[in-house]
Amino acid sequence: MSHTQRPLEVACPQCRKKVVWSETNTYRPFCSERCRLLDLGAWADGTHRIAGEPAMDETEIDEMILRAERGRQDPE
Ligand SMILES: [Zn+2]
């Protein structure tokens, strides 16, 4: 099961950075957890946010990441 293949590269849907699509990249097709959460934030936007609120800033993204990491330990 160990063929040597050229790694498949995809463009991160958030920042368009090239991402190597591999099983070790848990954030694929995103380049990082941050971009993945940004995308989650984009769809959560309509349901959880009040229209007219400013876009998420870096601090909010970091908080989201922390919350997501905590949630991962929840056996939900
Ligand atoms: Zn990205």
Side-chain angles (χ1 to χ4, degrees), residues 12-17 19 30-32 35-36:
C12 171
Q14 270 301 323
C15 68
R16 298 278 149 205
K17 201 167 105 176
V19 186
F30 302 97
C31 68
S32 63
C35 280
R36 197 180 60 148

Side-chain angles (χ1 to χ4, degrees), residues 17-33:
K17 201 167 105 176
K18 289 272 184 172
V19 186
V20 175
W21 187 285
S22 75
E23 279 174 30
T24 54
N25 179 6
T26 49
Y27 309 125
R28 66 187 185 270
F30 302 97
C31 68
S32 63
E33 179 160 28

Side-chain angles (χ1 to χ4, degrees), residues 38 41 45 49-61:
L38 274 169
D45 220 42
R49 298 192 143 252
I50 301 146
E53 232 183 294
M56 283 201 290
D57 61 26
E58 294 281 300
T59 316
E60 279 183 274
I61 294 160

Side-chain angles (χ1 to χ4, degrees), residues 5 10 15 23 25 30 34 41 44 62 68 70:
Q5 286 181 324
V10 295
C15 68
E23 279 174 30
N25 179 6
F30 302 97
R34 172 164 296 214
D62 287 339
R70 247 179 266 136

